Amino acid sequence: MSSTTLGRAGLSLSHMGFYVNDMAKMEDFYARVLEFTVTDRGSLDTPHGKVGLVFLSRDPVVHHQIVLASGRPAQLPFNPINQISLEADSLATLRLFYRRFVEEKMEEISPVTHGNAISFYARDPEGNRLEIFIDTPWYVDQPMRVPVDFALADDALMASVERHARELPGFRPRTEWVAEMAKRMGIG
């Protein structure tokens, strides 16, 4: 549903770009492991020198969803990227990428539930935290995060997440939360 359909001026999050240190390694990871396609590449002269750019997308209609830009210092005292979140279209897809990350021996892989989502977190090759998630049909007050066992069968995993969510403050169907947010945003 578009923003204008909801009664607000048309504005939605489209893509993100971030600086990388090792362009080839990062391009390989996003293309091979996360199945993004390189749609363009090149460089631009900027006030701070030439910047190499690689544009990537998983959607043939969208020129780029991620832009990798050269110029990240090799050593940073603090990574300002909290997380890069990618929504999976199903629990099966979430599990597919989880297995792929395990096979790739990615760092800090942690499957969790937020009550309103099931996800796993891991670090990309330059330490940026990634989240791959699916929404659940429920809402619970945030923040909330507890580990989940991806070894469980789909039905058992969903039952476990729901059982835990039902015990948390704010538990309700996601549809109720969406209606409340639409009203709060003045579009409901």
Side-chain angles (χ1 to χ4, degrees):
M1 186 175 295
S2 74
S3 297
T4 53
T5 304
L6 296 175
R8 285 190 161 182
L11 182 66
S12 63
L13 182 62
S14 168
H15 60 276
M16 67 171 297
F18 52 97
Y19 290 104
V20 302
N21 179 277
D22 186 333
M23 184 69 79
K25 188 175 187 178
M26 293 294 279
E27 179 183 328
D28 172 69
F29 172 77
Y30 282 90
R32 184 177 51 80
V33 178
L34 289 175
E35 300 177 358
F36 279 84
T37 297
V38 173
T39 61
D40 263 319
R41 70 177 69 244
S43 62
L44 287 175
D45 291 321
T46 74
H48 304 288
K50 192 173 286 283
V51 174
L53 299 164
V54 174
F55 300 88
L56 301 115
S57 184
R58 288 181 49 96
D59 184 338
V61 176
V62 178
H63 177 267
H64 59 278
Q65 296 170 307
I66 292 179
V67 180
L68 304 177
S70 65
R72 178 178 174 158
Q75 298 296 321
L76 288 175
F78 177 80
N79 185 345
I81 297 175
N82 175 271
Q83 67 189 46
I84 301 166
S85 298
L86 303 168
E87 186 173 4
D89 62 2
S90 66
L91 182 55
T93 298
L94 180 66
R95 287 180 181 279
L96 175 129
F97 283 102
Y98 175 77
R99 285 189 304 273
R100 188 171 288 170
F101 275 52
V102 169
E103 290 166 2
E104 290 285 325
K105 297 178 175 52
M106 303 306 299
E107 293 185 29
E108 301 178 29
I109 302 171
S110 57
V112 301
T113 179
H114 298 289
N116 63 353
I118 300 171
S119 59
F120 73 88
Y121 291 86
R123 299 281 175 177
D124 76 11
E126 291 193 358
N128 300 304
R129 187 169 68 150
L130 299 173
E131 175 192 28
I132 300 181
F133 74 97
I134 59 167
D135 284 331
T136 67
W138 319 288
Y139 172 81
V140 299
D141 292 348
Q142 298 296 312
M144 192 291 293
R145 182 169 113 167
V146 296
V148 293
D149 183 0
F150 271 25
L152 295 173
D154 288 359
D155 290 346
L157 176 61
M158 292 304 290
S160 170
V161 169
E162 181 178 7
R163 200 169 31 256
H164 182 262
R166 285 184 177 279
E167 298 171 359
L168 297 170
F171 176 84
R172 60 188 176 274
R174 180 176 291 274
T175 54
E176 288 180 18
W177 180 81
V178 168
E180 178 186 321
M181 288 301 107
K183 184 176 179 181
R184 187 184 298 179
M185 293 176 189
I187 54 180

